[in-house]
């Protein structure tokens, strides 16, 4: 179904979802595999040639999803685990993807999910610290700006935190920005990759359109509308789903794409660069110690955090608006643990 190619990074998307070179053995766990994101994400990961074993866990429904996905005719093995089998699900796992938690309904912000999702994510992180302390953790559960610091502090408490192995998945912002810019400029998405920095909620999502092909041609009201659509793309889906949840299919695609990028880096491929929300020095002097920017992925996870590069005056303003909100979200997460 998916062909191999020499795709460099999510920041330079191609029409192909996966790419791989000679594979090592990568066991990947999905925590929250029974959910709206978890199910299609598991299906996509089953098709990733770099995934050799899939471990599907949820408090309900994961064995059923595993039985179903396990019939897909790719080489990887699939195992499902029930609510009381989290430790077994994490055994020998190299990468843990976490889409567990509740999604938004119309009228809610991502921060409104904090009360429910913070403890879910904390408890799952504590289990990873115990059963797979060297695993790379990919956090999808919202609010990402807070859940990532929650995972970091939980791992730190267990004395196993390595910032090279923790990622907030902001790939959906990249996917949307790329798709929407291509629509506005009448280009192919593969020709208009967009870097998105900051965090993952409304004004903290900062697309750097000026650095993308054709991005500088969008100006004035058209630019404002494009930036707004990228920042609030999640709301568009929440509204259209009308109470039935938030983005699941595009998120599964984005989650599988980021997982593939990480696995390629872990596998020794060079030059895999994509935006992700990590512990970062870029704005630490302003009290923001997690930040999404282009990150080079390597055999140990985060290899190099790239600087933001040149910004237009408009982008600088967006960034200035993002920083205080981001700082608040990060502190809220840190204080929870
Ligand atoms: N980072 C991003 O760009 C995006 C993040 N999200 C977030 O992803 C999360 C999941 O969204 P959906 O899949 O649509 O929700 P969902 O409600 O369809 O699925 C969530 C799943 O998590 C499971 N779960 C709850 N507590 C658990 C626990 N302690 N351990 C394991 N599994 C547990 C539930 O049983 C359910 O199957 C939400 O917080 C949502 O806001 C959604 C879209 C994009
Ligand atoms: O909007 C939401 O709540 C889900 C999400 O993070 C997104 O679609 O970007």
């Amino acid at each position: 179904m998916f062909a191999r190619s020499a795709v460099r990074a999510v920041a330079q998307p191609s029409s192909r979802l996966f790419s791989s070179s000679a594979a090592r053995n990568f066991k990947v766990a999905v925590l929250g595999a029974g959910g709206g994101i978890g199910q299609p994400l598991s299906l996509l990961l089953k098709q990733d040639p770099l995934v050799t074993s899939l471990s599907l866990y949820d408090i309900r429904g994961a064995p059923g999803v595993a039985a179903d996905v396990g019939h897909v005719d790719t080489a990887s093995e699939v195992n499902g685990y029930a609510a009381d089998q989290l430790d077994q699900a994490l055994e020998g796992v190299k990468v843990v993807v976490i889409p567990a938690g509740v999604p938004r309904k119309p009228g809610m912000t991502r921060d409104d999910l904090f009360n429910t999702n913070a403890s879910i994510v904390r408890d799952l992180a504590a289990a990873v610290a115990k059963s797979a302390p060297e695993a790379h953790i990919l956090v999808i559960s919202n609010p990402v700006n807070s859940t990532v610091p929650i995972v970091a502090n939980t791992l730190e408490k267990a004395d196993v935190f390595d910032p090279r192995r923790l990622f907030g998945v902001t790939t959906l912002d990249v996917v949307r920005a790329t798709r929407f810019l291509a629509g506005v400029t009448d280009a192919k998405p593969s020709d208009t990759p967009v870097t998105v920095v900051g965090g993952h909620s409304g004004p903290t999502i900062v697309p750097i359109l000026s650095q993308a092909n054709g991005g500088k041609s969008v100006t004035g009201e058209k630019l404002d509308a494009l930036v707004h659509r990228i920042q609030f793309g999640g709301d568009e889906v929440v509204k259209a789903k009308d109470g039935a949840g938030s983005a699941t299919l595009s998120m599964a695609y984005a989650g599988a794409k980021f997982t593939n990028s990480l696995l390629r880096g872990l596998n020794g491929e060079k030059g895999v660069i994509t935006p992700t929300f990590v512990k970062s020095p870029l704005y630490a002097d302003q009290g923001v110690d997690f930040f999404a920017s282009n990150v080079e992925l390597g055999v140990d996870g985060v290899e190099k955090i790239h600087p933001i590069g040149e910004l237009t005056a408009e982008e600088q303003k967006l960034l200035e608006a993002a920083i205080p909100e981001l700082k608040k979200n990060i502190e809220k997460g840190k204080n929870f643990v």
Side-chain angles (χ1 to χ4, degrees), residues 139 144-145 168-175 196 198-200 254 258 275-277 292:
V139 183
V144 166
N145 295 354
V169 182
T170 55
T171 314
L172 185 52
D173 302 316
V174 175
V175 165
V196 182
H200 178 67
F258 183 74
T276 171
F277 186 71

Side-chain angles (χ1 to χ4, degrees), residues 104 110 113 142 172-173 176 200 233-235 238 246-247:
R104 283 200 285 167
R110 290 181 183 81
L113 303 172
N142 271 315
L172 185 52
D173 302 316
R176 282 182 181 136
H200 178 67
D235 296 54
V238 169
S246 57

Side-chain angles (χ1 to χ4, degrees), residues 181 184-185 192-194 208-220 222-223 226 310-315:
L181 175 62
V184 168
T185 58
T192 59
V194 179
I208 313 293
L209 292 161
S210 66
Q211 294 174 9
N213 286 335
K216 275 191 171 148
S217 69
V218 187
T219 55
K222 268 195 170 171
L223 175 63
L226 177 59
E310 208 176 303
L311 301 182
T312 62
E314 286 103 327
E315 288 162 354

Side-chain angles (χ1 to χ4, degrees), residues 17 55 58 67 76 83 102 109 111 132 146 151 156 182 207 222 232 244 268 275 293 306 308 337:
L17 177 53
S55 208
D58 198 296
S76 47
V102 292
T109 65
D111 187 56
S146 304
V151 173
E156 214 155 59
K222 268 195 170 171
F232 296 93
S293 66
H306 287 258
I308 304 295
V337 182

